[in-house]
Amino acid sequence: MTLRTDRLVLSAPGPADADDVVAYANDPDVIAFTPVPVPYGHAEAHQFIERVGDGWRDDTRYDFGIRRVDDPRLLGTVGVFGFVDGAAEIGYALHPDGRGHGFVTEAAARVLEWAFAAPPIGLGLVRVQWRALGTNAASAATARRIGMRYEGRSRSAVVHRGVRHDQLLAAVLRDDDRTAPTDWPTP
Ligand SMILES: CC(C)(COP(=O)(O)OP(=O)(O)OC[C@H]1O[C@@H](n2cnc3c(N)ncnc32)[C@H](O)[C@@H]1OP(=O)(O)O)[C@@H](O)C(=O)NCCC(=O)NCCS
């Protein structure tokens, strides 16, 4: 499965992408805000790539690698997972080299379009949610840009690397207008 946007090609990462996965998985923000193993080397990257393949094969999660149309380097991933009764969750991460250009916004918006499209074109989902640690302003900004409506802050709801954090929740429904809402609280 390959999805395309003006600037990006989205398709499952493969074994040849292991170095690129190691590169973004070691970024301090990825470590600070996602549950990647620490330390993260080639063994972890290959396990991740295998899990991505398993997810596509058994329809439990769909992870897309993010690449620029003119560059085979894997910059990051955007995935949908946690399928329950027509709802799912979206997650993303990008190497710092690719940040600040709107690539994740573009990639995640395209994945949402696919996730909401009726089968056989898409998954036919009705709701996609986003969750993040309460301090993850960059992820929240991306979630807002793809049309997620803010649904709240669960206080002290998650433990990340041994520390309790608030968790932010937002979601977009299939029939929502996907322009960025203006009523998100400032982080
Ligand atoms: C969250 C993360 C993926 C966001 O990356 P990003 O590049 O900032 O995301 P976007 O694609 O939404 O790009 C937005 C930036 O591009 C800029 N931009 C440029 N052109 C743009 C365009 N056409 N469309 C949207 N934004 C654009 C925006 O102004 C913004 O820059 P700013 O932050 O300086 O204002 C990244 O910070 C990351 O990987 N963090 C670590 C992992 C993580 O936290 N994942 C989420 C866990 S919940």
Side-chain angles (χ1 to χ4, degrees):
M1 165 65 68
T2 299
L3 302 176
R4 291 170 198 282
T5 70
D6 286 348
R7 298 183 296 171
L8 304 171
V9 179
L10 311 174
S11 59
D17 297 312
D19 285 346
D20 293 339
V21 173
V22 172
Y24 77 74
N26 278 288
D27 167 64
D29 286 344
V30 172
I31 293 169
F33 294 121
T34 78
V36 286
V38 177
Y40 198 106
H42 279 91
E44 286 73 21
H46 282 289
Q47 274 166 20
F48 167 70
I49 289 162
E50 254 175 52
R51 263 207 320 279
V52 170
D54 292 345
W56 278 98
R57 261 188 303 281
D58 58 24
D59 293 310
T60 50
R61 55 180 300 141
Y62 304 108
D63 290 292
F64 293 87
I66 303 172
R67 297 170 219 270
R68 299 170 61 144
V69 285
D70 54 357
D71 186 352
R73 176 178 172 192
L74 185 89
L75 285 171
T77 48
V78 53
V80 278
F81 48 88
F83 300 101
V84 182
D85 297 336
E89 181 159 336
I90 193 164
Y92 36 72
L94 200 75
H95 190 283
D97 288 355
R99 293 181 195 156
H101 302 286
F103 291 148
V104 180
T105 295
E106 192 168 313
R110 181 69 188 89
V111 169
L112 280 183
E113 188 185 309
W114 171 74
F116 287 134
I121 291 168
L123 301 178
L125 297 181
V126 295
R127 170 187 164 94
V128 176
Q129 71 173 26
W130 160 91
R131 288 183 297 159
L133 299 186
T135 48
N136 197 347
S139 182
T142 301
R144 193 185 73 81
R145 275 190 288 264
I146 59 174
M148 294 266 168
R149 313 281 174 98
Y150 184 75
E151 293 189 340
R153 171 183 288 264
S154 302
R155 293 172 304 144
S156 225
V158 286
V159 175
H160 180 61
R161 307 205 189 281
V163 178
R164 296 203 74 86
H165 293 265
D166 291 356
Q167 185 176 61
L168 304 177
L169 179 64
V172 61
L173 305 188
R174 182 171 55 206
D175 299 327
D176 282 347
D177 168 7
R178 256 169 267 154
T179 52
T182 52
D183 56 353
W184 276 62
T186 35

